[in-house]
Amino acid sequence: MMTKALNLLWLWGLTASGAGLPPAVRSAAERIRQAALSGSGAAGIVQSLCDHVGPRLAGSAGSRAAVAWALEQMRGLGLENVRAEKMREPRWERGVETAEIVAPAMQPLAVTALGGSPATSPEGLEADVVSTENVESLHALLARDPSAVRDRIVFYSEKMTRQSDGSGYGKTVNIRWAGPTEAARAGAAAVLIRTVGTSSNRLPHTGVMKTGPEIPLVPAAALSAPDADLLERLVREGKTIRVRLILTCRTLPDVAGSNVIGELSGSERPREIVLLGAHLDSWDLGTGALDDAAGVGVVLETARILSRLPKRPKRTLRVVLFANEENGGRGAAAYRDAHRPEMSEHVAALEMDLGADRVRAFSWLAGGTSEPALSEVAALLSPLEITAKKPEASGGADIGGLREFGVPLLDLSQDASRYFDFHHSADDTFDKIDPKQLDQAVAAAATVAYCIADMPERPAPIPEEKRKAQE
Ligand SMILES: [Zn+2]
C-alpha cells in the first residue's frame, strides 16, 4: 500500500513537472504506432507525386505542378489553413551534356552537369586532365606548382563509402560543392568529379555546386563510377588523358515558387507548433522518389493519422513542404523570414529527408529538462527497433536554421545503406520504394509527432551555448 502510494506520488511528480509522458499519451502513442505499422497510405502518396508530377526541380514547370499537387493533397487529407507561401526560386536548366575521352583512345564518358554549372562553348571544350583526390589535395598540388591545373580539366577522384548512417556523403560531398570553384580560382578550364554516390552503374549523380555573385565558376560535371575508374587507371599508367566536354546548361532569372503548408490545429494550445517537414522539390534526372517524395509521403500520412484521432492533440501540427531544398535552400530561408515572429511558438521540428527505408535511430537537441520526456518517447520507438542515438540531432537542411532560435530539433535517422545508390540520379524512381519500410518510418514519425504535440510540457528550447550549428 505504502509502495503504491509512493509510486503514485512519483508518477504525479513526473507529470506535474512535465518530466514524463502521462499514461494516456503513452497508450495512445502505442496505438498510433501499431496502426501505422500495419499499413499506411504513405507509398500511395509517394506514387502519386512521382507518377502524376514527376521531376520537380526549382524553377521548372514540374515545381509549379508539385505545388498544385501538394495543395490538393493537403485539402484532401482535411488539413486546415492550407496555403502556398510565396518565395522566389532559382531556375537552372540542364540542357545537353556529353563527354568523351579523345586521347589516348576515343571513348564516351557518362556525365551529368552539376547544378548551377555554367555551359561550355556550344562546340565544347577540350583539355588535358589533371587528377587530384579532393580539395585538400588540390591545394597541396597548387602549393608545389601554382600552374598545375591552369587550362586543364581537374578530375576529383575521391570515393564515397557506403555507411548505414549515410556519413560517407558528408565526408565526400565537398568535391561537388567546393571542388569546381577551387579549381576555377586556380585557372582550370573545367571540372569532373567522381560521382558522389555508391552506385556502380553508369548513371552519375548530380547535385548542387557552390555558386554566387563573387564565386569563380567553370563548367562542372559528375562522372559515373565506372568512368571515374577508367580515368584513374589511365592516370596510374601515366598516360596523357584528353577529354572533350559539352554542357549547354544555363541559369535563368529567378521565378515565383512556394512552400506549401497545412495544419491540424491544436485542441488546447493551438499557438504552439510542432513542425513536420520534407521538401517538395527534386532533381530533374529521376522522379525524386527517395529524395524526397518519400519524406513528403511520411509527413502527409502522419498528419492524416493524427487527424483521425478521437481527440486532437493539444498543440498544432504544421506540415511544411519546402521549396528548393536541392539547389538553393530558398524555401527554408523564406520560411524562417516569414515566421520569425512566431519562432518562440515552435515547440519542436522534425524533417524527413534521408530516403524511404526504415528508421534506425532517434535523437534530439533540446533543453536538458526535456531529457526524461524525450527518453520516454524514445522508449516508445524501441518496438520499431529504433535506438536512441547520441550525439544530438542536427535537423536536416530545411529546419537546421531553426536551431539559432532555440527550436528543439528531432532526428529520425533512416537506414541510408542503399540511399546513395539512387540519390540525385536518374535511378531515383518509385520502384525503389519498399512500402513496409516506409510504413515503419510513418509509425516512428507519427509516434514522435503525436507525443510532442500532446505531452504536458513542451520540450525546453536549445540552450544558448548550443544554438550555433557545428561546422
Ligand atoms: Zn533531399
Side-chain angles (χ1 to χ4, degrees):
M1 202 53 201
M2 190 60 182
T3 328
K4 196 174 176 191
L6 277 175
N7 271 341
L8 278 175
L9 204 64
W10 178 77
L11 263 180
W12 178 85
L14 276 182
T15 314
S17 71
L21 294 180
V25 172
R26 271 206 302 274
S27 58
E30 281 164 357
R31 285 194 300 274
I32 289 167
R33 184 188 70 210
Q34 212 39 51
L37 200 58
S38 63
S40 86
I45 298 171
V46 177
Q47 184 180 346
S48 171
L49 181 54
C50 292
D51 293 357
H52 301 154
V53 175
R56 44 198 182 277
L57 184 60
S60 69
S63 175
R64 290 188 290 281
V67 168
W69 175 91
L71 290 169
E72 192 187 314
Q73 288 286 320
M74 285 186 178
R75 290 187 182 120
L77 293 175
L79 299 194
E80 297 138 10
N81 306 323
V82 173
R83 73 252 191 205
E85 292 191 349
K86 300 279 176 234
M87 37 75 74
R88 303 290 293 174
E89 61 185 26
R91 184 174 173 202
W92 175 84
E93 288 180 353
R94 180 169 302 281
V96 172
E97 45 193 20
T98 64
E100 58 192 348
I101 300 181
V102 295
M106 239 348 177
Q107 50 179 318
L109 295 169
V111 289
T112 193
L114 301 187
S117 172
T120 62
S121 63
E123 64 278 11
L125 69 82
E126 196 182 299
D128 288 354
V129 170
V130 55
S131 172
T132 191
E133 191 183 6
N134 51 32
V135 171
E136 291 70 38
S137 61
L138 174 79
H139 287 149
L141 177 64
L142 290 169
R144 293 195 298 275
D145 175 5
S147 68
V149 309
R150 187 164 305 281
D151 301 327
R152 306 273 184 91
I153 295 175
V154 172
F155 165 50
Y156 292 104
S157 64
E158 190 168 35
K159 273 196 183 83
M160 179 184 160
T161 57
R162 187 185 297 276
Q163 305 278 355
S164 59
D165 64 359
S167 56
Y169 184 67
K171 291 187 183 122
T172 320
V173 74
N174 200 46
I175 64 171
R176 192 191 77 211
W177 172 248
T181 181
E182 292 303 314
R185 257 184 245 290
V191 162
L192 293 173
I193 66 166
R194 173 186 282 276
T195 195
V196 181
T198 49
S199 61
S200 55
N201 57 32
R202 296 190 81 185
L203 301 171
H205 307 237
T206 188
V208 72
M209 64 187 236
K210 193 167 162 182
T211 60
E214 305 298 320
I215 308 286
L217 297 177
V218 284
L223 272 176
S224 81
D227 295 272
D229 289 345
L230 165 63
L231 281 199
E232 275 197 74
R233 289 195 299 273
L234 295 174
V235 167
R236 271 202 301 275
E237 288 174 10
K239 296 268 196 290
T240 297
I241 309 160
R242 210 164 164 76
V243 164
R244 190 198 337 266
L245 176 67
I246 303 177
L247 300 179
T248 67
C249 41
R250 57 186 185 151
T251 299
L252 295 153
D254 293 353
V255 299
S258 301
N259 289 326
V260 182
I261 298 180
E263 294 171 344
L264 289 178
S265 298
S267 55
E268 289 176 29
R269 298 179 206 161
R271 288 169 57 85
E272 296 185 1
I273 298 156
V274 179
L275 190 158
L276 206 50
H279 67 85
L280 190 55
D281 66 314
S282 78
W283 278 104
D284 53 336
L285 297 171
T287 57
L290 302 181
D291 188 12
D292 188 21
V296 171
V298 169
V299 301
L300 287 178
E301 178 63 7
T302 293
R304 191 193 66 79
I305 290 168
L306 300 196
S307 76
R308 301 300 190 269
L309 293 176
K311 181 177 172 290
R312 276 288 172 84
K314 292 183 181 64
R315 304 186 177 83
T316 292
L317 183 79
R318 176 180 287 174
V319 175
V320 184
L321 302 183
F322 290 93
N324 185 221
E325 186 273 342
E326 296 292 4
N327 60 335
R330 305 261 195 99
Y335 182 84
R336 277 202 305 282
D337 290 346
H339 296 274
R340 210 169 276 264
E342 58 170 11
M343 265 318 152
S344 63
E345 306 283 2
H346 285 63
V347 309
L350 167 69
E351 175 174 8
M352 299 301 291
D353 185 19
L354 196 60
D357 286 347
R358 58 177 294 273
V359 173
R360 37 192 293 289
F362 174 52
S363 55
W364 57 86
L365 178 61
T369 56
S370 311
E371 286 300 306
L374 291 170
S375 298
E376 283 194 53
V377 177
L380 285 165
L381 299 175
S382 65
L384 299 172
E385 294 178 38
I386 295 171
T387 55
K389 178 196 74 170
K390 298 289 171 188
E392 294 155 326
S394 57
D398 291 307
I399 63 165
L402 305 186
R403 180 175 181 155
E404 63 172 294
F405 301 97
V407 177
L409 300 177
L410 310 169
D411 282 355
L412 286 172
S413 308
Q414 290 163 278
D415 181 355
S417 305
R418 62 180 195 125
Y419 179 51
F420 292 98
D421 289 345
F422 312 115
H423 171 262
H424 293 189
S425 83
D427 230 6
D428 184 0
T429 47
F430 182 71
D431 52 295
K432 312 306 182 308
I433 300 288
D434 171 356
K436 277 260 169 285
Q437 293 201 57
L438 197 62
D439 287 345
Q440 187 264 14
V442 172
T447 303
V448 170
Y450 165 72
C451 288
I452 305 295
D454 216 27
M455 61 210 271
E457 294 279 324
R458 57 184 281 182
I462 301 172
E464 237 13 284
E465 70 276 11
K466 288 186 177 172
R467 291 188 186 182
K468 254 182 95 71
Q470 260 90 51
E471 285 307 306

